[in-house]
Amino acid sequence: MDPEIQQRFRTIVRETGIRPRRALEVGGLIGPKSLLRMPELRRAERYVLNLRPMSSRKRITAVTGNANHMDAFEDASFDLVLCNATLEHDMRFWLSLAEMQRVLEPGGLLVIGVPGFV
């Protein structure tokens, strides 16, 4: 992930003042550039959802599944949901958006990034 994009996500989380207890990254990976690795989330319980199976590691739980139907998660189970460079690959992105809203608790923060063209 581009460091500038990563910094923008950090800025949004920091400026809202949210101190997430449970965070979900939709379509992310677990590597060093994961949005879940930002310092603002170090105390949060962290999950990543991806179509490809991954191993959980370094305090991030990997969940294999489709964002169109996140049946692994209950309603209102996260106070922060992140999604970057994923929806543009999703043929039914509106279902993923509805699922992100469903798993986000009332008053929670949803941050979405998609590529832009200049």
Side-chain angles (χ1 to χ4, degrees):
M1 173 183 313
D2 183 288
E4 183 179 335
I5 300 300
Q6 201 166 28
Q7 184 58 44
R8 287 180 188 216
F9 273 82
R10 284 190 67 198
T11 298
I12 292 167
V13 171
R14 190 172 47 250
E15 287 183 358
T16 61
I18 188 172
R19 299 232 190 273
R21 294 176 316 282
R22 292 188 84 212
L24 170 65
E25 183 176 1
V26 176
L29 299 173
I30 292 184
K33 295 182 179 181
S34 168
L35 290 171
L36 294 173
R37 298 222 183 265
M38 66 176 83
E40 293 79 5
L41 304 182
R42 70 178 166 265
R43 293 193 174 145
E45 194 176 326
R46 298 170 287 177
Y47 295 81
V48 62
L49 177 78
N50 199 299
L51 288 169
R52 293 182 289 179
M54 297 181 288
S55 297
S56 300
R57 63 179 191 245
K58 295 192 180 185
R59 297 185 55 223
I60 297 176
T61 302
V63 177
T64 304
N66 189 320
N68 293 171
H69 184 71
M70 294 192 265
D71 58 347
F73 306 118
E74 295 182 19
D75 294 356
S77 54
F78 295 96
D79 51 356
L80 175 64
V81 176
L82 306 167
C83 181
N84 185 53
T86 298
L87 293 177
E88 68 274 15
H89 304 286
D90 189 343
M91 298 292 281
R92 296 168 31 166
F93 65 90
W94 59 91
L95 296 175
S96 295
L97 289 169
E99 282 293 277
M100 287 183 230
Q101 182 180 13
R102 180 186 67 77
V103 301
L104 187 66
E105 69 182 35
L109 178 64
L110 171 61
V111 186
I112 297 173
V114 293
F117 300 95
V118 180

